[in-house]
Amino acid sequence: VLPRPMAALGAYRCIECNGEATELYRDYQRGVLRISICKSCQKPVDKYIEYDPVIILINAVLCKAQAYRHILFNTKINIHGKLCIFCLLCEAYLRWLQLQDSSQNTDPDDLIRYAKEWDFYRMFGIASLEQTSFFIGIFITLWWMTPEMLKRKSDFILLLKALLLSTYGKLLLIPAVIWEHDYTPLCLAFIKVFVLISNSQAIRVTLNLNRILPWFAIFFGLILENGVVCLFQRMGWDV
C-alpha cells in the first residue's frame, strides 16, 4: 500500500542520503504515479514504495540501510510494542525450556502446573529487565556522546521504536528450539549476533551516525545487561 503523497516538510526521508522530503510520489490521476526525486542526491526518494513487502523484508534481513530508512521514516508501522512482547515471550519460552531440561527432579508431584507457569512468568520478567537495561545503556551512551542528537522527546521515541523493531531476529529462537539438533547453541549465538547487528543498523539509520558509535553504545548496553544478569545470579535466580 502506497503512503499518502503529500506531507509537511521533513515528514519523509530519502533512503539513499537521508535527506528530508515533502513527498514520496506524485499522483497524476488515472493510475499515473511518479516517484519523487531527492534534491540532494538526485535519486528516487524511496524506491521501496513500489516493491513487494517480501522484497523489503529480505532487504531488512540483509540489514540494508535503505530498507531501514523506508520502514522507520516512510511507513506507518505501529507494531513495535506487540513485536517486543512477542520477542520477549519467545526468549522467555527458550529460557523456561532450558530450565526444565536442567531440572533433575522427575517426580510429577513436584512439577505441578502452577510452578511451571510461575517459572515462565519469572523468565519473562527477567528477559524484560535485561532488555530494558540494555536499552538504557544504549540511551545513556548516545546521550553522553551525542547530546545534540537526542534533544527532543520525539528523538527518544523514534530511537526506541527503531530498537524495538530491530529485535525481530529473536523470533528465530522458536524454530531454533523446535528443530533442535546438535548445533542449537551455535544457532542461538548467531541469532544473538544478528540481533545486535540489527540494533546497530537501527541506531545508525535513526541518528545518521557512523558505524563505530552505535557499536560503542551497544557495548555499554551489553555491560549493563550483564550487570543485571550477575545481580540475578547473586540472588540465586536461574537466568
Side-chain angles (χ1 to χ4, degrees):
V1 178
L2 292 174
R4 64 187 188 278
M6 297 296 295
L9 180 63
Y12 301 116
R13 297 286 184 88
C14 173
I15 64 172
E16 300 293 340
C17 67
N18 202 40
E20 296 182 348
T22 57
E23 60 182 3
L24 298 179
Y25 66 93
R26 181 159 295 180
D27 189 354
Y28 291 97
Q29 305 300 325
R30 297 182 180 180
V32 179
L33 301 176
R34 180 179 180 273
I35 297 179
S36 300
I37 302 300
C38 178
K39 296 180 180 179
S40 300
C41 64
Q42 302 302 315
K43 294 182 179 180
V45 173
D46 192 343
K47 62 183 179 181
Y48 286 115
I49 61 174
E50 57 180 359
Y51 280 30
D52 188 88
V54 177
I55 302 299
I56 299 174
L57 178 61
I58 292 174
N59 281 264
V61 171
L62 295 175
C63 292
K64 290 189 175 181
Q66 294 87 343
Y68 274 71
R69 291 191 183 104
H70 167 77
I71 294 172
L72 293 174
F73 298 120
N74 300 337
T75 60
K76 289 185 177 181
I77 294 180
N78 196 28
I79 62 170
H80 48 282
K82 297 178 181 178
L83 179 63
C84 174
I85 293 176
F86 192 71
C87 289
L88 288 174
L89 287 173
C90 293
E91 189 169 355
Y93 173 76
L94 175 63
R95 298 186 180 197
W96 175 81
L97 193 63
Q98 293 174 339
L99 182 64
Q100 299 302 316
D101 292 340
S102 63
S103 177
Q104 302 297 323
N105 193 344
T106 59
D107 188 353
D109 294 334
D110 294 332
L111 299 177
I112 59 176
R113 180 179 301 178
Y114 176 80
K116 288 184 177 181
E117 289 183 359
W118 166 248
D119 285 337
F120 177 78
Y121 297 145
R122 181 165 59 89
M123 291 301 160
F124 179 81
I126 292 174
S128 302
L129 289 174
E130 289 180 7
Q131 179 165 296
T132 300
S133 61
F134 175 67
F135 287 167
I136 290 176
I138 290 177
F139 277 105
I140 291 176
T141 305
L142 292 175
W143 181 79
W144 176 56
M145 297 293 295
T146 58
E148 67 279 0
M149 295 289 183
L150 297 172
K151 289 182 178 180
R152 299 171 298 178
K153 180 180 178 181
S154 58
D155 297 330
F156 283 94
I157 294 176
L158 180 60
L159 181 56
L160 178 60
K161 178 181 177 180
L163 288 172
L164 292 176
L165 289 175
S166 63
T167 58
Y168 67 92
K170 291 185 178 181
L171 298 177
L172 298 173
L173 292 172
I174 295 299
V177 173
I178 293 177
W179 299 322
E180 185 176 1
H181 48 72
D182 295 337
Y183 300 101
T184 297
L186 184 60
C187 291
L188 298 180
F190 276 123
I191 292 173
K192 178 67 173 179
V193 172
F194 175 74
V195 171
L196 294 178
I197 293 174
S198 299
N199 293 153
S200 172
Q201 191 72 308
I203 297 172
R204 176 172 171 251
V205 167
T206 304
L207 301 180
N208 197 26
L209 301 173
N210 55 33
R211 297 179 182 274
I212 298 178
L213 188 55
W215 280 110
F216 192 69
I218 287 176
F219 175 73
F220 277 94
L222 289 174
I223 290 178
L224 189 58
E225 179 184 354
N226 289 329
V228 173
V229 172
C230 293
L231 178 62
F232 287 141
Q233 290 175 344
R234 286 181 175 273
M235 295 171 60
W237 291 13
D238 294 322
V239 296

